[in-house]
Amino acid sequence: MAKDEAEQLRTLASDIRNLLDSTAKIAADEGKSADQRWQGPYATQVRGEITTRKGRLRTIADELDKEATHRKNKEKGKGADAD
C-alpha cells in the first residue's frame, strides 16, 4: 500500500513542478518579435512573481518526493521485519 502511496506522491510532485510551466513560457516571450512581446508597467514584476511561485512549488514538490521516498523505504523495512 505504501508503494502505491509513494507513486501517487511522486506523480503529484511532478504535476506541481509543472504547474506554472506554460504560464512562465508565455511570460518569457520566447521567440516573439519586439512588437509581440508581453509588455507594460507590471510585466517585469509579474515575471518575477511567476518565478517566485515556481520556486515555492518546486520546494513543495521536493518535500513530496522526500515523503514518497520515506514511505517507500518504510514499506521495505516492514517487509524485511516480516521475514
Side-chain angles (χ1 to χ4, degrees):
M1 177 113 179
K3 186 177 179 182
D4 292 337
E5 290 174 353
E7 191 58 40
Q8 288 175 348
L9 285 173
R10 282 197 177 87
T11 300
L12 180 59
S14 176
D15 290 345
I16 288 173
R17 265 190 202 92
N18 299 323
L19 196 59
L20 288 177
D21 283 352
S22 60
T23 305
K25 189 173 182 177
I26 291 168
D29 289 326
E30 294 174 357
K32 293 185 179 179
S33 64
D35 62 333
Q36 293 178 326
R37 290 204 172 120
W38 190 39
Q39 9 183 350
Y42 299 107
T44 302
Q45 179 182 351
V46 170
R47 286 184 186 104
E49 279 293 319
I50 291 169
T51 301
T52 300
R53 306 274 180 206
K54 279 191 70 151
R56 289 178 183 167
L57 290 173
R58 192 177 316 113
T59 301
I60 292 167
D62 290 345
E63 290 299 317
L64 286 171
D65 279 335
K66 286 180 188 176
E67 179 62 24
T69 300
H70 173 72
R71 289 186 186 197
K72 187 175 179 181
N73 291 339
K74 187 177 177 182
E75 182 67 22
K76 284 181 181 179
K78 278 186 179 179
D81 291 340
D83 289 343

